[in-house]
Amino acid sequence: MNFKTILWDVQDGIATLTLNRPDRLNAFTAEMHGELRRVMELARGDGAIRCLLVTGAGRGFCAGADLTAGLGDVDADGPDLGMALERDYNPLILEMRRLPKPILAAVNGPAAGAGMSLALACDLVIAARSATFLQAFCNIGLVPDAGSTYFLPRLAGSARAAYLTMMGEKLPAETAAEWGLIWKCVDDDTLMGEAMSVARKLASGPTKGLSLIKDALNRSAGNDLAGQLGVERDLQRQAGRTRDFQEGVRAFLEKRPARFEGR
Ligand code: T3D
């Protein structure tokens, strides 16, 4: 596959998406958004892909929108940044949350602006100890976007979300893990090894069941307890009809590791 701003590699059920504009800390451009749309379609449509791993080339994860790329769409009232969100960022974040496969981020360096939002939209986030998270938006007079105002208060609580979004200070990966923004922080030289080991486990897991877990967690944000119990009932009905559930129980009874096929 020929891409200019990303790398895409599929092996053993794991699709690795590497944002690849290292001299700009992998900042988003319109071209990158176009390529991201294509690989998200591939990730959805290719049954051989059972886990998506997102990382960055060079010393950055993603620095958000490329600030050297101009003001984007302009109408009579001036720049229309809402258009970029409508066209590029919002569909990307929605597709990541709706993708019926787990997404793991290996945050190797600065994750700023919409780059931080991108990490928060993943199901699991592992970060290198030297990585930082930055709600850069207020530093340039913008509003957090690409889902940050949705994910942050839910993950970190409203006090910390307000601090991060209004102060625009870098948050070290270790604190991000302590605050529950990410799953864990590891030594830099172990990041990709740890991420690959998690990705391998996800890619050999009960993919359909994992997608139902993702669906349940997505929906819990908007439900009361009774509503969520109903969601669990409906999703468990589906999980109970998968081949992987039969295999999981058989493997347990036979005291051997399960061989999940992802359906
Ligand atoms: O229209 C729309 O797209 C609307 C949507 C907006 C969504 C957003 O994401 S808005 C927020 C945009 N992002 C930022 O404001 C972050 C800006 N960057 C930084 O604050 C810092 O660079 C970092 C904290 C990310 C990293 O700091 P540091 O000290 O590790 O690196 P650096 O020296 O600042 O950056 C290294 C290079 O990357 C540098 O280039 P140079 O001087 O070596 O040629 C720098 O200019 C470049 N770079 C970093 N971030 C961006 C960038 N170039 C373009 N766009 C960037 N966002």
Side-chain angles (χ1 to χ4, degrees), residues 44-122:
R44 178 177 278 278
D46 185 345
I49 295 174
R50 292 170 65 184
C51 170
L52 177 59
L53 170 62
V54 184
T55 192
R59 72 169 185 88
F61 177 71
C62 176
D66 189 321
L67 299 178
T68 65
L71 296 173
D73 303 87
V74 178
D75 63 19
D77 297 321
D80 180 2
L81 303 191
M83 184 64 91
L85 300 186
E86 189 69 27
R87 182 187 54 227
D88 297 329
Y89 293 89
N90 294 1
L92 171 65
I93 299 300
L94 284 174
E95 178 56 10
M96 288 173 70
R97 295 310 313 142
R98 290 172 180 161
L99 186 75
K101 304 176 184 186
I103 308 181
L104 170 67
V107 178
N108 52 306
M116 176 168 175
S117 309
L118 180 79
L120 298 182
C122 295

Side-chain angles (χ1 to χ4, degrees), residues 10-207:
V10 180
Q11 277 183 55
D12 302 327
I14 303 167
T16 303
L17 164 61
T18 307
L19 305 178
N20 191 29
R21 302 186 65 239
D23 53 329
R24 293 273 155 242
L25 299 183
N26 306 315
F28 290 109
T29 57
E31 184 175 37
M32 183 186 278
H33 277 293
E35 297 189 343
L36 290 174
R37 268 191 291 279
R38 280 178 60 202
V39 294
M40 290 309 292
E41 279 169 25
L42 294 174
R44 178 177 278 278
D46 185 345
I49 295 174
R50 292 170 65 184
C51 170
L52 177 59
L53 170 62
V54 184
T55 192
R59 72 169 185 88
F61 177 71
C62 176
D66 189 321
L67 299 178
T68 65
L71 296 173
D73 303 87
V74 178
D75 63 19
D77 297 321
D80 180 2
L81 303 191
M83 184 64 91
L85 300 186
E86 189 69 27
R87 182 187 54 227
D88 297 329
Y89 293 89
N90 294 1
L92 171 65
I93 299 300
L94 284 174
E95 178 56 10
M96 288 173 70
R97 295 310 313 142
R98 290 172 180 161
L99 186 75
K101 304 176 184 186
I103 308 181
L104 170 67
V107 178
N108 52 306
M116 176 168 175
S117 309
L118 180 79
L120 298 182
C122 295
D123 296 298
L124 289 167
V125 184
I126 308 179
R129 204 165 299 284
S130 68
T132 52
F133 294 84
L134 173 64
Q135 286 289 301
F137 308 93
C138 67
N139 297 341
I140 52 171
L142 290 185
V143 174
D145 62 23
S148 268
T149 60
Y150 180 89
F151 298 120
L152 266 178
R154 286 171 170 79
L155 291 167
S158 48
R160 284 168 170 168
Y163 183 82
L164 291 172
T165 53
M166 293 186 183
M167 298 303 285
E169 289 174 8
K170 286 182 191 170
L171 187 73
E174 207 155 315
T175 314
E178 279 165 24
W179 287 7
L181 277 180
I182 64 170
W183 172 48
K184 73 171 174 176
C185 157
V186 298
D187 290 338
D188 289 24
D189 55 354
T190 63
L191 175 70
M192 287 319 286
E194 291 238 12
M196 281 312 288
S197 130
V198 175
R200 273 193 290 274
K201 173 150 185 179
L202 291 170
S204 58
T207 310

Side-chain angles (χ1 to χ4, degrees), residues 6 43 57 111 142 199 201 215 236 259:
I6 61 171
L142 290 185
K201 173 150 185 179
D215 194 7
Q236 199 68 296
R259 289 181 294 267

